[in-house]
Amino acid sequence: EEPEFTLEELFELFPEGTYEFEGRTVEGDEIEGQATLSHVIPAPPDIVAPEEDSVLDANEPVIIEWTRVDEPILPGVGREPLDDVEIIGFQVIVVREDPSPLVVFSADLPADATSVTVSPEFLQSGASYTFEVLQIDVSGNQTIAESGFETAA
C-alpha cells in the first residue's frame, strides 16, 4: 500500500522548529506546551546478532549486538552541516508473545553501547521472541531495527 505522503512531502508541510500546543483536559482545565520538531532521523542500527530466526538455548544468555549507524535515514535533510546525526543512546526491547503471557525486557543504553545481554532468567524453552534496537538522535528522533529468535524446546 502506498503511503499518503512521502517523508519529504511531510517535511514540507511541517518545517523544523518549535510548535506550540493548547488544549483542555477532560476536566476543562486549560493546558499548553511546546515541542521542537527536527527533520534529522537517524538510519537504523545494523543488527549483528543473533541471526534472525536463530534457535537458541534458553539456559544460556542471549547477546544482542548491533553496529551504530551515524547517518540520517534521508541524507541531505535536516540540520546543518548536512547529514549530521548525533546519537545519544539506544533502547533494546525484547518481547515474548508466544507462549502467553506477554513478557517484556527493556534496556536503555548509552551512545557507546553495541550489545546487551538477556539473562536466562528472562528466557523460556520453546518460546518465540522479537526484539528491537532503537537508535536515538539528540533531537529525540529514533529509528528501529528489528529481528527475532526462538528458544529450543
Side-chain angles (χ1 to χ4, degrees):
E1 186 174 308
E2 290 292 318
E4 288 188 41
F5 294 100
T6 66
L7 205 47
E8 292 91 344
E9 290 169 332
L10 190 63
F11 287 169
E12 286 178 27
L13 290 171
F14 296 97
E16 285 187 301
T18 301
Y19 288 79
E20 295 186 14
F21 301 91
E22 296 177 356
R24 290 191 184 275
T25 66
V26 291
E27 293 84 16
D29 298 328
E30 291 185 14
I31 56 173
E32 59 182 52
Q34 62 181 5
T36 302
L37 175 65
S38 168
H39 290 174
V40 177
I41 301 172
D46 291 324
I47 294 175
V48 175
E51 288 187 31
E52 188 157 7
D53 299 326
S54 295
V55 178
L56 307 173
D57 184 344
N59 298 310
E60 297 291 326
V62 171
I63 300 174
I64 297 174
E65 294 181 72
W66 63 90
T67 302
R68 171 187 171 131
V69 177
D70 290 308
E71 298 173 1
I73 200 165
L74 288 176
V77 177
R79 72 173 72 93
E80 296 290 335
L82 294 178
D83 303 339
D84 186 21
V85 172
E86 186 180 345
I87 302 303
I88 61 164
F90 295 91
Q91 184 179 41
V92 177
I93 302 168
V94 182
V95 177
R96 184 192 79 207
E97 295 179 8
D98 183 35
S100 294
L102 174 73
V103 177
V104 178
F105 167 90
S106 179
D108 294 321
L109 302 162
D112 61 350
T114 58
S115 69
V116 68
T117 301
V118 180
S119 73
E121 288 80 11
F122 176 79
L123 303 171
Q124 178 180 331
S125 297
S128 297
Y129 296 85
T130 58
F131 67 91
E132 303 172 341
V133 180
L134 293 80
Q135 183 163 265
I136 306 166
D137 179 73
V138 69
S139 66
N141 289 338
Q142 52 194 331
T143 304
I144 300 171
E146 61 183 10
S147 189
F149 63 90
E150 295 181 6
T151 50

